[in-house]
Amino acid sequence: MIMALALLLIVVASVLFHIFNPWWTTPLASNWKQMDDTLTITLVITGIFFVAINLFVVYTLVRFRHREGRRAAHEPENKKLERWLIGGTTVGIMALLAPGLVVYANYVREPRDALVLEVLAQQWQWRFRFPGEDGKLGATDARFVSATNPFGIDPADPAGQDDLLIAADEVHLPLGKPVLVLMRSNDVLHDFFVPPFRARMNTVPGQVSRFWFTPTVAGRFEALCAQLCGVGHPNMRGFVVVEDPAAYKAWQVALPTFARTQAKAPEVPSGGEAAGGAGARVEQGRALADAKGCVACHTIDGSPRVGPTWKGLHGKTETMADGSTALVDEAYLRSFIRDPQARHVKGFPPVMPKIEMSDEELAALVAYIQSLGSPPAQAATEQKAPR
């Protein structure tokens, strides 16, 4: 009887929880109401089976409980019961699968007039690409991936020269326009997911995944990675801004093309002594931090992530995991970036990958970190020091 009462309480509590607890999905901002309906159907059907099975168990525990003078009858087969179970299970599975198959068929059958958006995933950041005036995305290949060409676009493909590139974590889309999303990964399994859009798909290295949706509500929506992709996974976030077509066009005009990003940048004078030289090198370092994915683990506002913040890092004394200390000067930064596994900063996991870069790129990245200032305590000490 105790078991029967416990099961009955579990059933009642579960039903009440789903009725009164605000667990429902976020407000819908796309055309995929069918997905919400499919989820509701699934929950209702599984809920009915959950309640029915547990109530049946409660009934059998009470009806056939042990009593003095009563003996259970052995009935190894019951054809009638088997038919009911087979029939009920078949109907339930069909009711679960059929709506999902219909919705998925629509999900992968994108409209012909859809706007093409490519999403490139890399630990731990998002990049985006639109076709240019020719309406075609340029061919890509892993052998073309580099610091200056993270998309791996084939430089010899004319169709890729006018492709519009977004190296930041924010992309804009026009309201009411179907969008075909093509997804690639440069490293591991990812999943581009904007909850209010409902639409999502795994991004598998070596292949192009696809789905489509139509944004129906203007606003700024957070995108996230829905697959555990490493220690920086929680920070792999971005934003999708849905706006009216005129505002989208105005934003799109300012996007750089692939040809423009590949144009040779002016040489930075050695030592950065010429006017504007130091500023150009710092700007180059800032761009590298975005392109190399450094910003996924290091902030510039003082808040720690997977790795130490870069704000005030230069000139700071860091404590290593073995108890030793080290001054974060230019030599320290250069050696750490070249071989991040040689040292382990206390309080942070030793997960920084070895990133290939030229001497010029390394100098620019170090200059950028140096430009973010020295720690306040050290600055105060320097001011008080006798001249």
Side-chain angles (χ1 to χ4, degrees):
M1 290 297 291
I2 295 177
M3 182 63 72
L5 288 173
L7 285 175
L8 186 60
L9 287 174
I10 290 174
V11 170
V12 173
S14 298
V15 173
L16 292 177
F17 175 83
H18 282 75
I19 292 175
F20 296 107
N21 190 59
W23 62 273
W24 296 102
T25 53
T26 57
L28 185 66
S30 79
N31 59 309
W32 286 117
K33 183 178 181 298
Q34 290 175 305
M35 291 192 180
D36 284 359
D37 295 339
T38 303
L39 176 62
T40 301
I41 291 172
T42 301
L43 288 172
V44 170
I45 293 176
T46 55
I48 290 173
F49 272 85
F50 171 79
V51 172
I53 291 172
N54 280 282
L55 289 182
F56 174 73
V57 173
V58 171
Y59 167 76
T60 57
L61 288 173
V62 175
R63 175 71 175 77
F64 302 106
R65 69 187 184 277
H66 173 71
R67 285 175 287 184
E68 292 293 336
R70 299 290 297 273
R71 183 178 179 83
H74 179 60
E75 190 176 351
E77 292 187 11
N78 187 322
K79 299 295 185 182
K80 182 179 180 181
L81 177 61
E82 289 177 3
R83 286 193 293 269
W84 274 104
L85 290 176
I86 292 173
T89 303
T90 301
V91 171
I93 292 176
M94 290 175 61
L96 285 173
L97 292 181
L101 292 174
V102 172
V103 174
Y104 188 78
N106 295 330
Y107 191 49
V108 296
R109 191 186 304 117
E110 68 270 5
R112 293 185 178 182
D113 62 339
L115 171 69
V116 177
L117 166 67
E118 182 183 70
V119 178
L120 179 65
Q122 180 178 337
Q123 291 175 317
W124 289 278
Q125 61 181 327
W126 303 105
R127 293 187 178 93
F128 307 95
R129 177 168 67 130
F130 288 104
E133 294 182 0
D134 61 1
K136 299 179 181 179
L137 288 174
T140 60
D141 195 285
R143 69 179 186 274
F144 298 123
V145 174
S146 66
T148 57
N149 184 10
F151 288 88
I153 300 173
D154 185 353
D157 184 6
Q161 297 300 311
D162 64 347
D163 286 356
L164 304 175
L165 309 183
I166 303 101
D169 60 359
E170 181 175 293
V171 65
H172 291 221
L173 295 175
L175 182 66
K177 174 75 173 178
V179 179
L180 170 61
V181 182
L182 306 177
M183 296 174 296
R184 294 188 293 122
S185 172
N186 270 355
D187 39 43
V188 300
L189 184 68
H190 297 282
D191 190 312
F192 184 72
F193 181 39
V194 182
F197 296 162
R198 302 298 187 266
R200 53 172 287 192
M201 190 75 74
N202 283 344
T203 306
V204 183
Q207 73 177 45
V208 177
S209 306
R210 58 201 297 137
F211 67 83
W212 76 277
F213 69 96
T214 301
T216 57
V217 177
R220 189 170 187 260
F221 305 98
E222 186 174 23
L224 51 88
C225 180
Q227 287 288 353
L228 183 59
C229 57
V231 293
H233 165 72
N235 298 317
M236 192 168 177
R237 297 177 180 272
F239 294 93
V240 178
V241 177
V242 179
E243 56 196 2
D244 63 84
Y248 166 75
K249 282 294 183 183
W251 171 82
Q252 188 187 54
V253 168
L255 296 178
T257 63
F258 173 65
R260 177 181 164 190
T261 62
Q262 297 304 292
K264 184 173 177 60
E267 293 289 336
V268 177
S270 59
E273 300 296 338
R281 173 156 289 178
V282 168
E283 181 59 27
Q284 181 188 6
R286 186 201 64 75
L288 276 169
D290 287 335
K292 298 289 188 181
C294 307
V295 293
C297 297
H298 302 279
T299 68
I300 61 172
D301 62 2
S303 59
R305 281 187 180 171
V306 179
T309 181
W310 283 354
K311 182 178 181 180
L313 179 62
H314 181 253
K316 178 183 178 182
T317 299
E318 285 279 34
T319 302
M320 303 295 117
D322 59 5
S324 62
T325 59
L327 177 65
V328 182
D329 54 11
E330 182 176 346
Y332 172 94
L333 291 172
R334 285 176 174 273
S335 64
F336 200 105
I337 294 172
R338 285 294 191 199
D339 189 6
Q341 298 302 318
R343 297 185 179 187
H344 178 192
V345 180
K346 184 178 181 180
F348 298 95
V351 296
M352 179 173 168
K354 189 173 183 179
I355 301 174
E356 297 296 333
M357 61 178 64
S358 65
D359 292 339
E360 181 183 349
E361 290 175 332
L362 178 61
L365 186 58
V366 169
Y368 174 57
I369 297 174
Q370 290 174 319
S371 72
L372 297 173
S374 299
Q378 177 172 330
T381 302
E382 291 175 352
Q383 290 177 358
K384 294 180 181 179
R387 300 293 181 182

